[in-house]
Amino acid sequence: MELTASLLEKYNKPGPRYTSYPTAPYFSENFGEAAWLEELQQTQSSGRDLSLYVHIPFCDSLCYYCGCNMVATRNYAKATEYLEFLFKEIDRMAALATSNRTVRQIHWGGGTPTYLHPDDIRRLYAHLRASFNIASDAEIGCEVDPRELSREHVQALADSGFNRLSLGVQDLDLSVQQAVNRVQTASLIREVYGWMRDAGIPSINMDLMVGLPHQTVAGFSDTLEQIIEMAPDRLAVFNYAHVPWMKKHQKLIQETDLPDLPTRIALQQLLLDKLRHAGYVYIGMDHFAKPDDELVKAQHNKTLYRNFQGYTTHKDCDIYAFGVSAISQTDEVYVQNAKNLAEYQQRIAAGGLATERGLRISREDRLRRDAIVRIMCDLELNKAAFSQQWQIAFDNYFSEALAELADMQADGLVELHPDAIRVTETGRLFLRNIAMCFDAYLKQPSEAAPRYSRTL
């Protein structure tokens, strides 16, 4: 895979990450708690299993690159108070779910879930276990910040049944770490990683980030070599999304310190070459895994799916999400909790749920979501099978998308065949751009369109 400046310049434009379709900016406050309660009642007999998401917004300090909904504080009393509201929300949602629905997946995100003290980690998981029917082989994951972490934190996660941990690394170069206010030594990462292996955690992911201030090819090459030596099971290497109009603290990052275009090309090429040489499979959308990983197998079997937790092997699950800003999902509905911490707690204190906005999607939305998911997960789309499933004439229905894809075919990103659309190896780096061809919302007048981060 050879990247060129012309390709990067042409396709590095704002676009969604497609953890949902339609994307979150199109959610509306017209769809509120009453509509969500009705949807919950009507979907209990759907036959779909459950995936649970818990959002812990707190962090000890602010990372300047962060795009998450978080609260930087060292006042642990805020977390103690938050847990009581979280327990009430869990209780109310659990009361609405029938006992025969099985939880196949649990994920804790943030913020920093390991901001919680070890006893509170155990207490929160025990509350979930008492409230829902969790499968014995459920996938149970948590995001981990190595700073302020203890071996007791890791043991609490292992004792609770967590079998997938994601360790936030970003970059091991000190100058980069200082520029984003996240200083953590390579020796600390190795120590925490060792704790996880010692505790018997079977799957460990590491998060890295490309495009941070002061990143160089030499520095990031050194980071990659150290990470490859540790041999995590998965790697998520995100492109830094500079969105200071959404995240005001990103103004603390000087844009002149961000890598220029030639450096970004070199960083991407370095990443692809080193990880491939180390034996990792590039799934797409920033994700790499060892060849025997479940994500790789699911991609080969065409059972991979994409939702708000990223790539997943649990397609046919409704997501029940708890905590500030958390997003729940059924097959036809998305809902998001209040994004402001005080507002979230006020809604729960009032005796209801924390629903702030949502969306019931149309058949057209579901059809286009299916096309986008298949492209991003399978890396191909069988036109005949898709046409039969949705009762459409594919080439006519997607004539506008096919015209855009023809230009991408000329650039070597896709192959257009009479019976299929296939993403090339180079095209895996441009999945967001390819998916955008199927996005009807992007065709709306520009004044109505939300602002997105750049795709590369």
Side-chain angles (χ1 to χ4, degrees):
M1 184 189 301
E2 292 296 329
L3 303 179
T4 64
S6 60
L7 270 184
L8 204 62
E9 284 182 309
K10 181 175 181 178
Y11 291 106
N12 186 25
K13 56 185 179 181
R17 290 185 179 272
Y18 293 115
T19 49
S20 73
Y21 181 85
T23 53
Y26 292 99
F27 298 176
S28 168
E29 292 184 4
N30 292 329
F31 191 103
E33 181 176 328
W36 177 225
L37 286 169
E38 182 180 355
E39 173 68 6
L40 287 170
Q41 292 167 356
Q42 292 179 349
T43 53
Q44 292 311 311
S45 59
S46 66
R48 289 163 61 89
D49 290 327
L50 295 178
S51 172
L52 307 181
Y53 174 76
V54 180
H55 191 81
I56 306 297
F58 305 105
C59 295
D60 285 307
S61 60
L62 173 67
C63 300
Y64 297 162
Y65 60 79
C66 183
C68 302
N69 186 297
M70 57 79 65
V71 177
T73 179
R74 290 188 175 271
N75 180 6
Y76 193 77
K78 290 187 176 182
T80 302
E81 180 184 37
Y82 179 75
L83 284 176
E84 297 310 311
F85 288 101
L86 201 57
F87 291 161
K88 290 178 182 178
E89 184 186 16
I90 290 168
D91 291 343
R92 289 167 193 167
M93 288 288 287
L96 296 167
T98 55
S99 59
N100 63 342
R101 302 195 73 182
T102 302
V103 174
R104 300 293 178 186
Q105 181 183 42
I106 300 173
H107 186 78
W108 291 10
T112 305
T114 51
Y115 179 94
L116 297 178
H117 291 167
D119 285 347
D120 281 334
I121 288 174
R122 290 186 171 93
R123 192 160 65 98
L124 175 55
Y125 186 78
H127 199 94
L128 288 171
R129 188 174 59 239
S131 302
F132 290 94
N133 175 29
I134 300 175
S136 59
D137 61 347
E139 178 184 304
I140 309 172
C142 182
E143 297 167 15
V144 176
D145 183 339
R147 303 169 302 166
E148 313 295 335
L149 193 76
S150 67
R151 187 185 283 271
E152 287 71 29
H153 282 91
V154 176
Q155 194 59 52
L157 291 166
D159 291 345
S160 297
F162 283 82
N163 46 40
R164 294 191 183 277
L165 297 183
S166 185
L167 184 59
V169 178
Q170 319 316 340
D171 196 310
L172 295 176
D173 186 282
L174 179 60
S175 63
V176 177
Q177 293 179 352
Q178 290 173 332
V180 298
N181 197 39
R182 188 186 177 99
V183 175
Q184 49 191 22
T185 63
S187 61
L188 173 63
I189 301 299
R190 290 192 192 94
E191 181 178 42
V192 171
Y193 182 77
W195 292 344
M196 294 176 177
R197 290 301 188 197
D198 290 345
I201 303 298
S203 179
I204 301 174
N205 172 78
M206 287 192 183
D207 285 345
L208 301 177
M209 194 168 285
V210 170
L212 292 175
H214 301 304
Q215 263 184 342
T216 64
V217 172
F220 198 60
S221 178
D222 184 58
T223 289
L224 286 173
E225 287 171 6
Q226 293 184 72
I227 296 302
I228 288 169
E229 184 181 356
M230 285 183 264
D233 304 283
R234 296 176 182 176
L235 283 161
V237 192
F238 301 104
N239 286 289
Y240 167 58
H242 193 60
V243 288
W245 62 88
M246 289 177 58
K247 301 294 179 180
K248 303 301 182 187
H249 58 261
Q250 289 189 352
K251 292 180 180 178
L252 296 168
I253 291 177
Q254 301 298 315
E255 292 194 27
T256 53
D257 292 337
L258 297 175
D260 59 17
L261 181 61
T263 304
R264 291 210 316 274
I265 295 171
L267 286 169
Q268 290 286 0
Q269 192 69 59
L270 172 77
L271 171 70
L272 295 168
D273 291 345
K274 275 192 173 293
L275 292 185
R276 183 191 298 110
H277 187 262
Y280 287 91
V281 175
Y282 184 31
I283 294 168
M285 281 300 293
D286 317 312
H287 284 70
F288 299 80
K290 291 182 177 179
D292 60 349
D293 189 271
E294 287 182 3
L295 290 182
V296 176
K297 293 177 181 177
Q299 189 169 64
H300 288 162
N301 297 334
K302 294 184 169 47
T303 56
L304 193 63
Y305 193 63
R306 187 165 174 81
N307 60 23
F308 288 103
Q309 279 74 63
Y311 284 116
T312 177
T313 58
H314 300 279
K315 175 183 178 181
D316 295 318
C317 287
D318 289 344
I319 299 173
Y320 288 1
F322 309 107
V324 60
S325 77
I327 300 177
S328 298
Q329 176 183 347
T330 64
D331 191 37
E332 296 186 6
V333 164
Y334 302 113
V335 292
Q336 184 171 27
N337 282 351
K339 296 185 290 297
N340 176 272
L341 179 59
E343 175 67 19
Y344 165 78
Q345 295 184 167
Q346 288 168 9
R347 288 174 184 256
I348 297 298
L353 300 176
T355 311
E356 182 175 77
R357 62 190 189 130
L359 181 69
R360 178 175 294 281
I361 65 175
S362 65
R363 182 182 185 277
E364 166 80 357
D365 292 333
R366 289 190 291 117
L367 185 157
R368 289 182 177 271
R369 178 179 67 185
D370 192 23
I372 288 169
V373 167
R374 296 280 59 82
I375 285 290
M376 301 193 93
C377 294
D378 298 348
L379 305 177
E380 67 175 21
L381 203 164
N382 183 306
K383 297 195 312 189
F386 192 93
S387 296
Q388 183 175 8
Q389 177 184 351
W390 290 100
Q391 294 298 296
I392 61 169
F394 190 97
D395 288 357
N396 291 335
Y397 197 95
F398 287 117
S399 58
E400 190 173 356
L402 289 170
E404 295 178 48
L405 289 168
D407 188 37
M408 292 185 173
Q409 177 173 241
D411 288 330
L413 308 188
V414 295
E415 296 174 354
L416 301 181
H417 302 278
D419 60 341
I421 299 167
R422 294 191 178 91
V423 178
T424 66
E425 188 176 355
T426 301
R428 293 185 187 211
L429 193 65
F430 300 87
L431 280 178
R432 290 170 71 182
N433 301 82
I434 297 168
M436 287 164 65
C437 298
F438 297 92
D439 189 335
Y441 289 83
L442 296 180
K443 311 298 190 292
Q444 293 179 352
S446 57
E447 62 270 12
R451 295 178 70 180
Y452 295 107
S453 64
R454 290 189 174 273
T455 54
L456 299 167

